[in-house]
């Protein structure tokens, strides 16, 4: 949204074009080799490219003081939970759903425990 707030909407076009190029190149390269999963990886790479462009260029035009430590903790915790899920080797669909949802609930509870004091502090202001 920084490019709209700073009236530099042309950057939205640049980022979209870069994402489109990444998608097209990766689709031609990956889909013939690994099928529809290639399309999924192409989409992920496209979104990542656009996100990084927005982040890097946005820091120049509209700086936001993100708490990188907290963001890193959340990402690492999500990866740990994903690895736990992958390593569990659960075969039944019902068990997979239960384990996956339990891990998501643990993640949400952790984030809530960390963020609740901050939310209360902001509400008091």
């Amino acid at each position: 949204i920084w490019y709209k707030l700073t009236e530099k909407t042309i950057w939205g076009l640049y980022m979209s074009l870069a994402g489109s190029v990444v998608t097209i190149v990766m689709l031609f390269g990956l889909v013939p080799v690994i099928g529809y999963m290639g399309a999924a990886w192409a989409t992920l790479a496209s979104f990542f490219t656009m996100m990084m462009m927005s982040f890097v260029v946005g820091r120049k035009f509209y700086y936001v003081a993100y708490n990188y430590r907290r963001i890193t903790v959340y990402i690492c915790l999500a990866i740990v939970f994903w690895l736990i899920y992958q390593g569990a080797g659960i075969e039944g669909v019902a068990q997979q759903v239960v384990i996956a949802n339990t891990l998501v609930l643990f993640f949400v509870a952790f984030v809530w425990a960390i963020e609740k004091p901050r939310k209360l502090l902001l509400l008091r202001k």
Side-chain angles (χ1 to χ4, degrees):
I1 192 170
W2 65 264
Y3 48 88
K4 179 64 176 157
L5 294 175
T6 59
E7 297 187 17
K8 297 187 183 315
T9 54
I10 191 70
W11 281 98
L13 172 68
Y14 298 152
M15 290 181 278
S16 296
L17 289 174
S20 298
V21 168
V22 168
T23 301
I24 292 167
V25 168
M26 289 189 72
L27 284 175
F28 279 108
L30 293 178
V31 170
V33 179
I34 59 175
Y36 72 91
M37 286 301 292
W41 283 109
T43 302
L44 178 66
S46 171
F47 289 166
F48 183 79
T49 300
M50 292 185 291
M51 177 200 64
M52 289 307 296
M53 283 183 70
S54 181
F55 176 75
V56 170
V57 177
R59 288 180 60 107
K60 177 181 177 185
F61 295 114
Y62 194 84
Y63 182 78
V64 176
Y66 292 109
N67 186 334
Y68 296 108
R69 183 175 179 192
R70 184 176 304 141
I71 292 169
T72 303
V73 168
Y74 292 157
I75 291 171
C76 289
L77 183 63
I79 291 170
V80 166
F81 282 164
W82 178 76
L83 289 171
I84 290 170
Y85 177 77
Q86 291 298 315
I90 306 159
E91 294 189 20
V93 174
Q95 293 89 352
Q96 288 176 350
V97 169
V98 169
I99 296 297
N101 285 323
T102 302
L103 291 171
V104 167
L105 287 174
F106 281 139
F107 182 80
V108 169
F110 178 83
V111 171
W112 180 261
I114 298 296
E115 296 297 328
K116 185 176 180 184
R118 284 181 32 114
K119 286 176 71 173
L120 292 175
L121 183 64
L122 289 173
L123 288 175
R124 289 184 192 143
K125 290 183 177 183

